Amino acid sequence: MQAQQQKNDFYWQQVREAAAYVKDYIGVDGTDIAITTGTGLSESMVDMSPEAQIPYDRIPHFPASTVKSHAGRLIFGKIHGRRVFILQGRFHLYEGYSAPRVCFPVRLMQALGVKTLIVTNAAGGLCTDFSAGDIMAISDHINLTGENPLVGPNNEDWGIRFPDMSAVYDTGLMNCAMQAAQKSGIHLHKGVYAGLKGPSLETPAELRFLRQVGADAVGLSTVMEVIAAVHSRMRICGFSMITNIADPDQPEPASLEAIIQIAQNAAPVLGELLSGIVREA
Ligand code: HPA
């Protein structure tokens, strides 16, 4: 137990050191929005005027990105005059990172005073109404990873022991998203995201199961970070870029290349939506 406590204290110390480095690097306080970009979506922030870019490997204690489709840098800048952090690239359980390591970027944002987190990901569409290239606003999620970043001793300075999960995705931000989508002529679906550990993709029987338990999209990220963000008391909204249709009745092999290609093609539309939310939020 004592060893676990020490490990835990060490983690928070690392977060504080990373935050001190970033604060010093950018030289300004008061950034309250962060956006995490998922697979193939790094280039979605077209409206951003970057003021600083920090490669992840320069930030003390930051995990190293092992996935090629993830850029691996923290960008700081303004969108519609508001200060925003963009986390280009994230960490996944399937890379072998523990749940707290996956959440390190979110904890860094917490330490830097961020109050609103917008998460994006690439996902397979389970809902029969979806097509590849569509965007789904996440109304709720199902954590099927078998992991939770809050396991272990709780540090009350960073959040409470049993965070409420009854309203994870902020309805105000969802309304902003709907308004921004309407203004830009983007058709935005709403639905439930199921987060799995991966890295193997789903069998047809698993896809059928996911549909039956109420999932509309499936992916291998997001749920850990969102749980940490709830613990951090952030306002959260999330978007899944539907990169492929995961249909148990017509199973098709999903390739990472095709997923990245679809995500990259649709990234500017997502970017327009995100900048609309920053404007309205
Ligand atoms: N399954 C899991 N993760 C994904 C998928 C999928 O079909 N598409 C994009 N990310």
Side-chain angles (χ1 to χ4, degrees):
M1 207 59 192
Q2 206 186 353
Q4 227 187 352
Q5 185 65 51
Q6 266 172 1
K7 204 169 140 201
N8 205 264
D9 291 346
F10 186 56
Y11 178 83
W12 295 117
Q13 183 55 31
Q14 288 186 330
V15 173
R16 276 190 284 267
E17 284 172 20
Y21 175 86
V22 173
K23 227 182 226 176
D24 196 49
Y25 194 102
I26 62 174
V28 276
D29 261 337
T31 308
D32 69 350
I33 303 182
I35 301 174
T36 300
T37 62
T39 304
L41 298 171
S42 303
E43 301 310 322
S44 49
M45 292 321 301
V46 273
D47 277 353
M48 167 98 161
S49 34
E51 290 170 27
Q53 300 200 22
I54 318 177
Y56 283 170
D57 58 12
R58 297 266 292 278
I59 304 173
H61 316 297
F62 219 73
S65 215
T66 69
V67 189
K68 266 209 209 113
S69 48
H70 285 252
R73 68 188 153 209
L74 174 66
I75 303 181
F76 165 74
K78 286 202 183 121
I79 299 175
H80 300 303
R82 294 188 69 174
R83 291 198 186 111
V84 176
F85 284 118
I86 309 228
L87 289 152
Q88 264 191 353
R90 59 146 62 88
F91 307 98
H92 306 83
L93 293 170
Y94 67 72
E95 293 175 84
Y97 290 114
S98 67
R101 290 295 285 162
V102 167
C103 299
F104 195 90
V106 172
R107 296 308 192 171
L108 171 63
M109 294 297 105
Q110 180 181 11
L112 290 166
V114 165
K115 300 281 184 280
T116 299
L117 182 69
I118 306 176
V119 289
T120 69
N121 57 48
L126 295 161
C127 186
T128 47
D129 296 350
F130 292 179
S131 307
D134 284 357
I135 302 173
M136 181 188 89
I138 303 175
S139 56
D140 204 349
H141 77 224
I142 309 175
N143 173 15
L144 291 171
T145 63
E147 305 270 351
N148 193 302
L150 309 181
V151 168
N154 186 57
N155 186 330
E156 291 285 325
D157 294 343
W158 295 82
I160 60 172
R161 174 74 289 187
F162 298 109
D164 178 57
M165 297 290 285
S166 64
V168 171
Y169 296 87
D170 189 85
T171 44
L173 290 174
M174 176 71 92
N175 291 339
C176 289
M178 290 295 166
Q179 275 171 26
Q182 204 173 24
K183 265 191 201 158
S184 301
I186 299 168
H187 180 68
L188 187 59
H189 300 284
K190 264 193 208 179
V192 174
Y193 175 86
L196 274 60
K197 191 186 278 181
S200 53
L201 300 175
E202 304 75 35
T203 65
E206 286 165 347
L207 293 175
R208 215 165 277 123
F209 162 80
L210 291 168
R211 272 190 182 168
Q212 277 173 11
V213 297
D216 299 296
V218 56
L220 309 179
S221 69
T222 304
V223 290
M224 294 298 104
E225 293 125 297
V226 165
I227 291 170
V230 169
H231 189 244
S232 310
R233 292 194 199 82
M234 290 183 191
R235 289 208 303 164
I236 301 161
C237 70
F239 300 93
S240 290
M241 168 69 67
I242 305 300
T243 52
N244 54 296
I245 297 303
D247 183 348
D249 301 317
Q250 287 169 27
E252 274 190 33
S255 83
L256 181 63
E257 290 70 30
I259 287 173
I260 293 172
Q261 193 59 54
I262 297 271
Q264 282 176 344
N265 292 349
V269 177
L270 182 64
E272 200 175 317
L273 181 62
L274 297 179
S275 72
I277 297 166
V278 172
R279 188 184 51 225
E280 314 272 340

